[in-house]
Amino acid sequence: MIRTVPTRPFEGQKPGTSGLRKKVRVFQTPGYVENFIQSIFDCQAGLDGSTLIIGGDGRYLNREVIQIALKMAAANGVSRVRVGKGGLLSTPAVSHLIRTSGAIGGLVLSASHNPGGPEEDFGVKFNIANGGPAPERETDAIFARTQTIERYLVLDADDISLDQMGEHRLGSLVVEVIDPVADYAALMETLFDFDAIRSLIRGGFTLTFDAMHAVTGPYAHEILERRLGAAVGSVINGTPLPDFGGGHPDPNLVHAHELYETMMGPTAPDFGAASDGDGDRNLVIGRGRFVSPSDSLAILTANAQLTPAYADGLVGVARSMPTSAAVDRVAEALGIAHYETPTGWKFFGNLLDADRVTLCGEESAGAGSSHVREKDGLWAVLLWLNILAVRRQSVATIVDEHWARYGRNYYARHDYEALDAGDADALMKAVRDQMPGLPDRSFGPLTVVSADDFAYTDVTDGSITDHQGIRVLFEGGSRVVFRLSGTGTSGATLRVYLERYEPATGNLHRDPSEVLASCVAAAEAIAAIHERTGRLAPDVVT
Ligand code: G1P
Ligand code: ZN
């Protein structure tokens, strides 16, 4: 029986760049999940008879929310849901399945790289028929709906078994429990030269992949160990856990510290990598050499043509504004277009749909391509492995040769977390107010060329997205960017992005923190972070 349950709006159900993200206990408020999902459904035309993809990263509440979503899909006229076994699907796998199943969209249950567990974070993201995150106009419509909603629809039924593959019925809805890995692994085999990677590994090349107890565990075991022949045990922390083993499933030098230590130590394998909660981010570390995500994007762009998927070349590349300009230099050398977009994958989606770009990426360890409409952690790892299999050089050598040709964009991001939201807004306003007076001013060795609040005009639909972060550009290609996070769940997070360009003729092997000291000093002089936030140092440096 389908029930119509009266409900009332909840405050603050505004989805950000990556869906609705809140503490688990907020999601546990009776009716909270139902309101948001019903609001998503109410904004869809043609839900009747449609197909949906549902899956999550395995975090605390994943299974419960999936059961609710299934019963609500049944009550709202959806005719088929494909859900990953155990409730698991990585974000890129959802994107791929939406595209190959003719689905109207998909629900991804994840808070990405944020920690999981009863006291931690949960999230719901809606992806549309192209496989990418819902665009701004749609998330705005969903939010507006959450503020007027009066009822939700749910089927009265028992839970289905998410662990039993095959078809189950919920009223007129068919729920198909599928292998979360199979379709994705098959897609990867079409993109990359698995034989070449297998032969590299057979020749003694060693690797370690840290799945951080999150969703990529099953994918990495299947693809890296079973299909590519990496030694059993190459994948570590490969079992998804509701609390990710107590860690942050965030593949950076802070949270993937163990991997970093291994890769810098005497027993390091040739290649190390990690992915995040929902499998869309990647971290790449060669033996003795960390590759910054901005450099990784540039190097992948410069070498993509060595792999089957990109053998015909790239039509263009895109990076988020805070990502370093390293990839721009490669695009210029290749004679292809390059775009600078606001943070968040949906801007890349439009460029990919319009065939303007083939590769795209962000400083926050995300890279992807036209194969799906999300960033893709394991895809980036496989692209690296394919390039290594062709070039037969170490990661460090490939990076060195890259810098020797294009120069090096020294880069760091400083995060100040859980700030008082009022303090953070006041700081941004103060920086914004100073913008007109910054050009020509000098801060130590750095002279300001321009300062602006980044606004982006979508090349495909002309829509404008503004207030995306304040860029202060210095002579010689150096830069400081101030931006507030759109994904934090407590207070405000200030991100300060620091970049100094060193031409190929300069010193390419200095300590980044030393090189960036002048940018840090300029950022402090402009924003008075200490004084305005009471913080003496950033919480996280990546
Ligand atoms: C962060 C990253 C951004 C990424 C987003 C979703 O957003 O900085 O690059 O697209 O997570 O994974 P932020 O918290 O900075 O708004
Ligand atoms: Zn993620």
Side-chain angles (χ1 to χ4, degrees):
M1 194 188 71
I2 294 172
R3 270 193 306 138
T4 302
V5 184
T7 186
R8 59 176 173 82
F10 290 99
E11 257 176 51
Q13 287 197 324
K14 187 164 178 56
T17 48
S18 310
L20 181 65
R21 253 182 228 181
K22 299 282 175 197
K23 290 286 170 205
V24 161
R25 66 186 131 71
V26 176
F27 273 98
Q28 284 169 327
T29 314
Y32 190 90
V33 167
E34 289 85 347
N35 272 31
F36 190 66
I37 292 177
Q38 187 65 50
S39 298
I40 294 172
F41 287 165
D42 284 347
C43 290
Q44 307 310 310
L47 210 55
D48 257 329
S50 65
T51 297
L52 267 184
I53 309 299
I54 301 182
D57 63 9
R59 70 179 58 227
Y60 190 84
L61 270 198
N62 191 43
R63 285 172 179 262
E64 291 81 348
V65 172
I66 289 179
Q67 297 289 354
I68 293 172
L70 291 173
K71 290 171 199 170
M72 291 183 66
N76 279 275
V78 175
S79 65
R80 175 173 291 265
V81 172
R82 307 187 78 195
V83 57
K85 182 170 181 237
L88 296 178
L89 279 175
S90 75
T91 286
V94 169
S95 185
H96 177 56
L97 285 166
I98 291 173
R99 291 160 69 78
T100 53
S101 310
I104 191 170
L107 292 173
V108 182
L109 309 169
S110 171
S112 189
H113 49 287
N114 292 8
E119 300 304 322
E120 301 294 354
D121 295 347
F122 191 77
V124 177
K125 183 167 76 154
F126 182 65
N127 281 29
I128 59 174
N130 77 346
E136 206 114 357
R137 59 177 181 283
E138 178 142 357
T139 51
D140 284 350
I142 292 168
F143 176 57
R145 182 65 191 150
T146 66
Q147 299 307 294
T148 58
I149 191 163
E150 290 173 338
R151 59 92 188 92
Y152 64 83
L153 306 177
V154 64
L155 182 80
D156 263 330
D158 289 336
D159 287 357
I160 66 139
S161 166
L162 292 172
D163 298 307
Q164 206 188 320
M165 301 254 283
E167 294 193 349
H168 307 249
R169 281 202 95 87
L170 276 176
S172 58
L173 171 71
V174 176
V175 179
E176 193 190 339
V177 176
I178 58 172
D179 175 348
V181 177
D183 291 63
Y184 178 84
L187 172 66
M188 293 299 119
E189 294 224 31
T190 67
L191 299 176
F192 301 117
D193 187 345
F194 272 44
D195 284 338
I197 304 173
R198 262 193 294 269
S199 114
L200 176 76
I201 290 172
R202 253 201 320 271
F205 178 93
T206 50
L207 64 95
T208 179
F209 178 87
D210 188 348
M212 305 190 88
H213 287 302
V215 80
T216 51
Y219 294 83
H221 279 303
E222 172 64 23
I223 296 172
L224 300 176
E225 293 179 348
R226 287 195 272 280
R227 300 199 186 191
L228 291 171
V232 171
S234 299
V235 176
I236 58 171
N237 301 321
T239 305
L241 297 174
D243 68 348
F244 306 118
H248 284 229
D250 192 353
N252 60 32
L253 297 186
V254 178
H255 298 299
H257 195 68
E258 215 184 299
L259 175 72
Y260 180 75
E261 296 296 313
T262 305
M263 295 308 298
M264 297 299 143
T267 58
D270 294 297
F271 183 83
S275 190
D276 72 330
D278 60 329
D280 57 359
R281 294 187 175 196
N282 75 86
L283 172 75
V284 166
I285 314 179
R287 175 184 292 140
R289 180 66 66 92
F290 162 66
V291 187
S292 82
S294 294
D295 276 350
S296 180
L297 176 64
I299 292 167
L300 294 179
T301 300
N303 292 279
Q305 261 188 283
L306 301 175
T307 69
Y310 312 105
D312 293 338
L314 311 174
V315 292
V317 283
R319 64 167 170 88
S320 67
M321 181 273 280
T323 304
S324 97
V327 72
D328 299 11
R329 294 174 204 287
V330 177
E332 277 152 22
L334 291 172
I336 58 173
H338 57 93
Y339 298 87
E340 183 177 24
T341 64
T343 297
W345 208 258
K346 49 195 166 197
F347 301 96
F348 294 146
N350 282 355
L351 292 169
L352 290 164
D353 280 347
D355 262 334
R356 301 284 193 116
V357 302
T358 313
L359 295 196
C360 38
E362 303 183 289
E363 52 66 40
S364 55
S369 91
S370 48
H371 70 290
V372 288
R373 291 295 179 274
E374 287 278 4
K375 53 190 175 237
D376 189 343
L378 266 166
W379 163 87
V381 169
L382 292 168
L383 179 51
W384 260 103
L385 290 175
N386 197 156
I387 291 166
L388 289 162
V390 175
R391 288 188 56 169
R392 300 275 170 160
Q393 290 166 306
S394 70
V395 171
T397 303
I398 289 175
V399 173
D400 285 345
E401 289 189 0
H402 188 90
W403 290 340
R405 170 154 184 208
Y406 297 98
R408 177 172 179 188
N409 291 69
Y410 285 96
Y411 187 87
R413 184 177 99 185
H414 289 188
D415 292 338
Y416 298 83
E417 294 176 345
L419 298 177
D420 175 81
D423 287 353
D425 287 340
L427 182 146
M428 289 299 285
K429 180 175 183 309
V431 177
R432 204 168 280 127
D433 289 347
Q434 281 179 67
M435 282 183 331
L438 286 176
D440 298 328
R441 270 185 67 188
S442 290
F443 298 91
L446 301 170
T447 303
V448 178
V449 181
S450 66
D452 68 355
D453 196 347
F454 181 61
Y456 176 72
T457 306
D458 195 293
V459 293
T460 59
D461 64 12
S463 61
I464 294 174
T465 309
D466 53 11
H467 295 305
Q468 292 300 304
I470 297 166
R471 304 186 288 188
V472 181
L473 300 180
F474 303 106
E475 276 171 10
S478 299
R479 187 173 82 146
V480 172
V481 171
F482 302 92
R483 192 183 149 263
L484 295 184
S485 156
T487 61
T489 51
S490 41
T493 296
L494 170 69
R495 305 203 195 283
V496 182
Y497 307 86
L498 311 150
E499 179 175 353
R500 273 206 84 166
Y501 178 64
E502 185 71 46
T505 48
N507 188 345
L508 302 171
H509 288 96
R510 289 173 63 197
D511 175 358
S513 65
E514 228 171 73
V515 177
L516 293 168
S518 52
C519 288
V520 173
E524 183 57 32
I526 294 166
I529 302 168
H530 294 181
E531 191 187 312
R532 290 206 169 89
T533 66
R535 302 290 174 85
L536 294 177
D539 299 285
V540 182
V541 175
T542 49

